[in-house]
Amino acid sequence: SFPTRRSSDLQELPDQYRLVFSLYVLDGYSHKEIAEMLKITTGTTKSNLSRARLILKEKIEAYTKTELKSLVK
């Protein structure tokens, strides 16, 4: 199912991307707070978040494309 697949996709992210994504999107921390917690720069938090979003977007698009093809058959 779609929600289960998304949870799995999140778990498949590289650790540094998943952690920043979770802290920012799910827990609501700011880039500054995340940078302080992880002892990295705010630029790195922004980069990791952007990369995580890109990976998830690609996975969702691939899933959607597959699902649409199965509906058309």
Side-chain angles (χ1 to χ4, degrees):
S1 76
F2 186 78
T4 303
R5 183 71 228 152
R6 300 296 59 88
S7 177
S8 176
D9 288 344
L10 186 57
Q11 292 304 314
E12 292 172 6
L13 287 173
D15 291 341
Q16 69 273 22
Y17 299 168
R18 184 177 67 250
L19 185 54
V20 171
F21 182 90
S22 295
L23 290 170
Y24 187 83
V25 174
L26 304 177
D27 298 331
Y29 287 101
S30 71
H31 284 289
K32 183 179 178 193
E33 292 169 319
I34 295 167
E36 290 171 357
M37 279 188 266
L38 302 180
K39 298 187 182 0
I40 58 177
T41 67
T42 56
T44 300
T45 70
K46 290 175 184 180
S47 176
N48 287 352
L49 178 62
S50 178
R51 290 178 181 152
R53 285 178 168 161
L54 180 62
I55 291 168
L56 292 172
K57 178 180 179 247
E58 290 170 352
K59 288 179 178 281
I60 289 169
E61 287 172 350
Y63 174 84
T64 303
K65 194 176 202 179
T66 302
E67 287 299 304
L68 287 174
K69 281 183 181 178
S70 71
L71 291 173
V72 172
K73 290 182 180 180

